[in-house]
Amino acid sequence: MTLWTSLEPASVTVDPGSRATVRLRVRNTGDVVDEYRFEPVGPTAPWTTVEPPTLRLYPGTTGTVELTFAPPRTPDATAGPNPYAVRITPTEHPDAVTVPEGNLTVTAFTEVRAELVPPTVKGRFRGRPRIAVDNLGNTRVTASLSGGDTGDRLSYELKPSNVQIEPGRAAFVDATLRPRDIIWFGSKEEHPYSVAVRRSGAEPLPVDGTFVQRGFLPRWLATALSVSLALAIAFVMIWITYKPQVRSLAEERLAEAGVSTLPPPSPSLSAAPSAPPPAAVPVPAAKPEGPATADAGGTGGSGGGGESGGGGASEAPKPKPKPKPETAATAVKQLAARSEGRHICYRAYVADRGWQKPVCDGSEAGTTGKGLPIKALNIAVAGTGGVSGNGAHVVEDWLTGDKWSSAADGKDMYIGSSKEAVSPLQGFTIKVNDGSVCQNANVKGKGWMGLGCTKPGDWRYGGSNMDEGLQLEAVEFTV
């Protein structure tokens, strides 16, 4: 060994967002001039700097370098003790590497952000927004949620009402808002409300939203029903008042034929028995019904001609066209019509099950814990200027990506493939043209990988790591 080292101090504490310095003393115990190169290693290496990075020492002399630790104020700087180390490589003796180690304690900090998705919901009897709670600190957060509004016009149902969030992760809470009074007729009403995120020893974090309550029957429908009822009453009154004259033509036809409907006179009442009886008008006998061959033949001939001509009641009904499947573009257009703002809808093609129904704005698509991989994704957006992305598959033990796909607002984008010959998705890359997109992926055997958001206009990868190649089972997206 031609090197002696000393860390002063060996243990140090630092707050995220600030700096701490440790002095490293180095002595050349060899008999030749040597140059030493310093390189930080370990989990703290990304935010550790060494100044100077190299040091040239004569035999028996001592030099000093400074290690500066600057942990960011993000979840990456894990609270608690973090070991650190510096690799020292001599130029003259590259095999004699020395790695002095120390301990860096990062203090804990909490930072919570909450958001309603969407901030405005509409409905007649209920509204169903979601609350996204992000833990931006470096320690676990436990929080409870409750809702309230001015005038106590709404009731709140939150599932779950208590959440535990790891650093850098997010939790989604499903909320159901119900108005206490129903608007039967009239225009819509707006009810501002607030959901409070409460933590022990901290001020509640309020998140404001609006519930737009619609009337059960719109005003135009009430007017139409009134007009229809008035017209129905008027029609009944006219029908009762006006009695149509019905005249039978039976007597006229009998008179023309010379047939009387009166009974014949009795012989005892005859005034002139010797008079010759009046000549009877011959009545043509009714033609007896013969076999159905002639009529049936004529009827059949005309019917057959009708069938051969392509018209008539015997024509076979045309098959009804199959309904078009509901895609992500269909769902996002319907959602954008109900609620203004930015939206993202998506659906998954699950192996052995096919396409699922579309879900939107942070809901789960796919399956968890069933071993069923996602083979393709169908994504559509509104209010983001379009969406782009591609899928990642394992081909010959390598993780490779598809060609990029893109779609404008309200259009369908597909990544992956539902063909049996194509392997399931292991991951995906996504971005939106205006603003940012957040994603969370569930990977087989590892669970949810954590919420990650892109910078505006940038892309982000989600799913299995490059060297693992684990299949993708479920996804969540928000914009």
Side-chain angles (χ1 to χ4, degrees):
M1 178 65 68
T2 61
L3 183 64
W4 172 86
T5 61
S6 175
L7 287 170
E8 301 175 356
S11 298
V12 66
T13 301
V14 62
D15 296 328
S18 61
R19 295 173 179 268
T21 303
V22 172
R23 179 175 298 176
L24 174 61
R25 297 171 61 85
V26 181
R27 179 184 299 171
N28 183 0
T29 59
D31 53 2
V32 295
V33 179
D34 208 342
E35 185 178 52
Y36 303 96
R37 185 172 68 253
F38 303 92
E39 180 184 3
V41 293
T44 64
W47 24 276
T48 304
T49 57
V50 181
E51 187 64 32
T54 60
L55 191 63
R56 187 178 181 85
L57 296 177
Y58 287 92
T61 60
T62 302
T64 303
V65 297
E66 288 188 351
L67 307 179
T68 302
F69 304 99
R73 192 175 177 82
T74 64
D76 296 332
T78 307
N82 294 270
Y84 70 89
V86 180
R87 182 188 293 118
I88 306 175
T89 305
T91 303
E92 297 296 331
H93 302 84
D95 296 335
V97 176
T98 302
V99 185
E101 298 180 356
N103 185 60
L104 176 67
T105 301
V106 180
T107 59
F109 77 96
T110 58
E111 183 176 349
V112 176
R113 183 176 62 186
E115 181 182 4
L116 275 169
V117 183
T120 301
V121 292
K122 301 178 181 180
R124 292 180 174 85
F125 304 105
R126 67 178 64 85
R128 293 178 176 174
R130 301 189 81 195
I131 302 97
V133 184
D134 299 305
N135 182 7
L136 304 180
N138 63 352
T139 185
R140 178 187 295 179
V141 167
T142 302
S144 62
L145 292 88
S146 61
D149 62 278
T150 304
D152 195 22
R153 297 184 177 182
L154 303 174
S155 62
Y156 304 85
E157 183 180 353
L158 303 175
K159 293 182 179 180
S161 59
N162 296 278
V163 292
Q164 282 191 348
I165 314 170
E166 297 296 331
R169 299 295 182 91
F172 291 91
V173 177
D174 295 322
T176 302
L177 313 177
R178 289 187 175 88
R180 299 188 185 277
D181 298 324
I182 298 176
I183 303 176
W184 295 104
F185 296 96
S187 59
K188 59 186 178 182
E189 293 184 4
E190 293 187 356
H191 303 296
Y193 69 95
S194 177
V195 177
V197 180
R198 305 178 185 274
R199 294 175 292 128
S200 177
E203 291 292 329
L205 176 63
V207 186
D208 297 328
T210 303
F211 174 64
V212 180
Q213 183 183 3
R214 296 171 175 170
F216 180 73
L217 294 177
R219 183 171 297 176
W220 65 267
L221 182 58
T223 305
L225 290 176
S226 301
V227 173
S228 300
L229 181 60
L231 292 176
I233 295 175
F235 178 77
V236 172
M237 295 300 295
I238 293 173
W239 178 263
I240 295 175
T241 303
Y242 177 72
K243 295 181 179 180
Q245 295 181 359
V246 180
R247 182 166 58 93
S248 175
L249 298 178
E251 294 182 358
E252 297 178 2
R253 295 297 183 185
L254 292 173
E256 292 177 0
V259 178
S260 175
T261 59
L262 297 176
S266 174
S268 62
L269 298 178
S270 176
S274 60
V281 178
V283 179
K287 185 178 180 180
E289 295 184 0
T293 55
D295 293 341
T299 306
S302 61
E307 291 181 358
S308 63
S314 61
E315 184 178 356
K318 296 181 179 179
K320 296 183 180 180
K322 295 182 179 180
K324 295 182 179 180
E326 184 180 4
T327 66
T330 307
V332 82
K333 289 178 182 178
Q334 296 174 355
L335 181 58
R338 299 193 304 268
S339 174
E340 299 178 356
R342 296 158 52 89
H343 301 285
I344 182 170
C345 294
Y346 42 94
R347 59 177 181 153
Y349 187 95
V350 180
D352 299 333
R353 292 195 177 184
W355 284 108
Q356 295 181 329
K357 291 186 177 181
V359 297
C360 302
D361 294 337
S363 296
E364 177 183 316
T367 61
T368 56
K370 298 181 180 180
L372 298 176
I374 293 177
K375 299 204 63 172
L377 290 172
N378 171 210
I379 305 173
V381 295
T384 67
V387 63
S388 302
N390 71 340
H393 310 264
V394 171
V395 178
E396 297 181 358
D397 296 333
W398 288 93
L399 193 64
T400 61
D402 297 332
K403 294 182 179 180
W404 275 88
S405 302
S406 60
D409 279 0
K411 300 295 184 180
D412 284 308
M413 181 192 75
Y414 292 88
I415 59 177
S417 175
S418 59
K419 296 181 179 179
E420 185 176 356
V422 180
S423 61
L425 287 174
Q426 314 295 320
F428 57 88
T429 304
I430 189 171
K431 75 170 186 176
V432 294
N433 297 335
D434 183 11
S436 62
V437 57
C438 299
Q439 57 81 16
N440 195 357
N442 189 289
V443 176
K444 179 181 179 181
K446 300 189 71 175
W448 291 102
M449 303 299 290
L451 186 69
C453 302
T454 67
K455 296 180 180 179
D458 201 358
W459 60 269
R460 187 178 182 93
Y461 177 81
S464 175
N465 295 332
M466 300 293 288
D467 56 347
E468 294 177 336
L470 299 177
Q471 65 188 25
L472 185 68
E473 294 189 347
V475 293
E476 296 176 348
F477 294 106
T478 56
V479 294

